[in-house]
Amino acid sequence: MPLRRRAADPDRHTFELVEDLDVGTAPAGEGSVGATPGTTDPPAGRLDPATRRRRRRVVVAGAAAAALVLAGMVAVDVVSSRADRARLADAAGGVFSTAHEPRVAWERDIDLSTDSFSFGTGALVLSEGDVVVGYDLESGTESWRRTFGGPTTCGSGVLRYSSAPADPEGRLVCLPGAPVVGASGDGGTEGSSAGAVTILAADGSPIHERAFDEAAGPGATGGDVGGLADVRWLRAVPGPRGSLLWTGRVGPEPELQGTEVLLEAEASGVGAQGEPGDAVVAVQDVASGDLRWHETVAADRDPEDPYSCVSFDTESWEGGAPETGSLDLDQVTAYGGVGVVVVQGCGVTATFSEDGVRLDAPDDPIDGAALVGGRLVRDPSGGPALGGWTGLHGMSGGPLRSAVLAADGSVDWEAPGILLPPAATDGRSRLWFSTTDDGLVALDESGRQEWVADVVGMPDEVLVATKDTVVVATMAGLAGLDARSGTERWTLERADDEDAPAPHTVTQAFTDGRVALLQVDTGTGGRQVGVGLADGRVVWTSDASEHQLLAVQGHLVRLGEHSLAVMG
């Protein structure tokens, strides 16, 4: 049975077996079975032993060859499938399948007021008091459990837009103390006392443990922390690659720290007085106890943002009635786990690489930096790379341009405008996208322009990018562009399909490379729409809550008010 090539996905090679002539028959003639009288060959059904043995060898050899080819194809498919899953697991917004509407595969209750969660390699990690449990992302079964001597928080707990990164080496840093739950999502702790910081391996087993005292600072761990004697350490959180991330202030506590200030809901500011001290950020290796690096960030209070120096309870702020807050000149937080280290607080804002290189402009309070597509990007507007706005020009009238940076913080290349990272990719697109006065442009990995989008309007959002299709939001709905030329392949508008998302209502996007899963805000709730990337056809719709969705190592995770669910 020979093998015949069959049309398939370009990334896969599939064959099918087709019938052929029986190996025991042959055309009549000399030397054939069924030879005419007078020949020397025996009649049909009476083959000599040598001939039978020869034909059996042919049959066995043919079957063995077919088995080897089929085994090889199975192995190729297995390797290809594993490679596909690994690619999607690493891609922004990439999930293993978006072919049908998401359904709950498994779910865990979680009280975010007392518990915290993070993600390890292949696991959801829940910190429930003094017990930390790892649940297998695929099945939801308990993979491991560890009990500590008191409330413990593990992992950074950082949620970046539609993803929740995990340490690539599978290490999980656990600190004593209950989680601090707030809008910043920086995964800190409160009520920490002297104890131990522990690093867990992917299977939950401890691999490093070191003394820890948040009030005493990194010196309490016994490592080399010279040169920081004048720092008042205020906070420590799990940092990148098996580290502790410390923040503090230089000098004594401000004299007015903690004084009461008046907050007015209708006022443009508050009468906060006093000046904060410079902030210090330090990354400490847990295994050795030594500081990997530390930097000082000069404090400069922004008079237009007085609330950054005030602590208050947002839940007690109702209507326009004046409320009181506390002056908090020491306020400073830091978080990592997203490819960079971000420092924010009263009078300070800064972004560093995980190796301690300053990435933002120290004299610009608005700009910042992020890891996008494996590269460091500085964004002058706090634009889409940082969850901000997408304007074309700054206050000075000049164009706003994002910059792709080298590891040392120098500019590798500059975009013609603000970079627009796709909300979702399947890991196969190598394009970068930027806004310009001419519209949306695609750039290669060196910043060279590939094409200008052939689409009506000014797309300011790239929802999905694969090697074949780029999906953008337009004034009328959605458009699918050819990834090689930028020409319009299809459009999806409410006028043509009532299931299509209304313009500018897509809040999140995910993809498996064939179908885009779009989370849509209807104004009265939420719904999800599956759109085929090849033709723009709506392939499924589903009523859904407005809960946040996350792409976690290829899995679609729904974060609710009181639960966390992995969708299948």
Side-chain angles (χ1 to χ4, degrees):
M1 292 185 180
L3 301 173
R4 184 173 70 203
R5 181 72 178 269
R6 183 172 64 186
D9 186 292
D11 287 342
R12 300 193 178 212
H13 303 292
T14 316
F15 298 84
E16 62 178 342
L17 297 176
V18 297
E19 295 300 327
D20 200 356
L21 296 174
D22 190 332
V23 296
T25 63
E30 186 169 310
S32 67
V33 179
T36 57
T39 64
T40 58
D41 282 355
R46 296 177 58 188
L47 299 178
D48 63 272
T51 301
R52 286 198 298 270
R53 285 194 300 272
R54 187 164 56 251
R55 291 189 175 180
R56 279 197 298 269
R57 285 196 297 270
V58 171
V59 172
V60 171
L68 286 173
V69 172
L70 289 173
M73 290 190 297
V74 170
V76 168
D77 274 352
V78 169
V79 173
S80 177
S81 177
R82 288 176 179 171
D84 288 345
R85 289 175 67 86
R87 172 170 46 79
L88 287 166
D90 289 339
V95 294
F96 295 142
S97 178
T98 51
H100 56 77
E101 64 180 271
R103 301 178 181 88
V104 175
W106 59 271
E107 189 169 14
R108 289 286 177 271
D109 293 335
I110 179 171
D111 184 353
L112 291 178
S113 66
T114 58
D115 305 331
S116 69
F117 71 92
S118 61
F119 294 95
T121 302
L124 162 68
V125 180
L126 293 185
S127 299
E128 304 169 332
D130 59 356
V131 177
V132 179
V133 184
Y135 295 97
D136 181 74
L137 274 177
E138 194 76 40
S139 64
T141 58
E142 183 177 312
S143 299
W144 53 266
R145 172 183 293 260
R146 287 203 63 80
T147 301
F148 292 84
T152 300
T153 300
C154 294
S156 68
V158 173
L159 306 180
R160 182 170 177 78
Y161 312 130
S162 297
S163 64
D167 188 299
E169 298 179 14
R171 293 169 296 185
L172 197 66
V173 178
C174 299
L175 287 174
V180 173
V181 179
S184 63
D186 56 12
T189 62
E190 64 180 355
S192 300
S193 59
V197 54
T198 305
I199 295 185
L200 303 181
D203 62 359
S205 60
I207 54 178
H208 292 293
E209 189 172 88
R210 185 166 292 277
F212 170 80
D213 188 337
E214 190 171 58
T221 67
D224 181 8
V225 295
L228 296 175
D230 60 341
V231 178
R232 289 181 299 110
W233 297 107
L234 302 172
R235 199 174 190 192
V237 298
R241 305 196 305 266
S243 69
L244 280 177
L245 178 56
W246 293 87
T247 48
R249 294 279 185 174
V250 176
E253 181 177 279
E255 187 175 329
L256 297 177
Q257 174 73 11
T259 58
E260 186 177 88
V261 294
L262 186 67
L263 305 175
E264 296 182 4
E266 304 301 325
S268 59
V270 296
Q273 303 295 318
E275 293 296 330
D278 293 343
V280 176
V281 56
V283 174
Q284 181 183 32
D285 184 80
V286 173
S288 67
D290 298 338
L291 289 185
R292 294 179 185 170
W293 59 268
H294 62 88
E295 292 290 339
T296 299
V297 182
D300 184 14
R301 280 193 58 186
D302 183 359
E304 296 183 0
D305 186 21
Y307 289 105
S308 69
C309 299
V310 175
S311 296
F312 57 93
D313 183 1
T314 56
E315 294 181 358
S316 68
W317 193 342
E318 298 177 357
E323 296 290 338
T324 59
S326 298
L327 185 63
D328 192 356
L329 298 172
D330 274 346
Q331 184 180 129
V332 61
T333 62
Y335 61 88
V338 291
V340 294
V341 172
V342 178
V343 182
Q344 297 173 330
C346 176
V348 294
T349 177
T351 309
F352 298 88
S353 73
E354 291 187 340
D355 295 322
V357 176
R358 182 77 182 257
L359 302 176
D360 64 318
D363 57 350
D364 188 340
I366 298 177
D367 79 334
L371 189 69
V372 179
R375 297 295 306 273
L376 296 167
V377 173
R378 182 165 64 224
D379 194 325
S381 70
L386 306 172
W389 56 291
T390 60
L392 295 175
H393 300 88
M395 298 297 292
S396 65
L400 291 171
R401 292 177 176 160
S402 301
V404 176
L405 308 178
D408 63 0
S410 62
V411 175
D412 189 358
W413 55 269
E414 194 173 53
I418 295 297
L419 287 172
L420 304 177
T425 81
D426 65 348
R428 295 187 294 179
S429 173
R430 296 294 178 263
L431 294 176
W432 293 72
F433 305 93
S434 175
T435 57
T436 69
D437 289 329
D438 296 327
L440 180 73
V441 299
L443 312 169
D444 69 9
E445 293 173 293
S446 67
R448 182 176 63 88
Q449 181 173 306
E450 291 283 320
W451 45 259
V452 178
D454 179 19
V455 63
V456 176
M458 180 75 72
D460 61 359
E461 187 176 17
V462 178
L463 298 174
V464 178
T466 70
K467 71 172 184 177
D468 298 317
T469 305
V470 177
V471 181
V472 298
T474 68
M475 293 298 293
L478 305 176
L481 310 179
D482 187 290
R484 296 168 183 82
S485 64
T487 57
E488 188 175 274
R489 298 174 60 185
W490 52 262
T491 60
L492 180 60
E493 302 173 4
R494 291 295 291 271
D496 302 319
D497 189 333
E498 63 180 9
D499 288 328
H504 302 296
T505 59
V506 176
T507 58
Q508 291 184 285
F510 305 87
T511 189
D512 62 359
R514 294 177 175 83
V515 175
L517 185 161
L518 306 177
Q519 179 85 352
V520 179
D521 181 4
T522 64
T524 58
R527 68 187 185 101
Q528 294 164 356
V529 180
V531 178
L533 296 178
D535 55 13
R537 182 174 56 90
V538 174
V539 296
W540 58 263
T541 62
S542 173
D543 291 332
S545 66
E546 296 179 279
H547 296 157
Q548 183 179 7
L549 297 177
L550 305 170
V552 181
Q553 302 167 43
H555 299 275
L556 187 67
V557 176
R558 186 190 69 194
L559 180 59
E561 295 180 7
H562 304 290
S563 68
L564 189 149
V566 175
M567 315 300 288

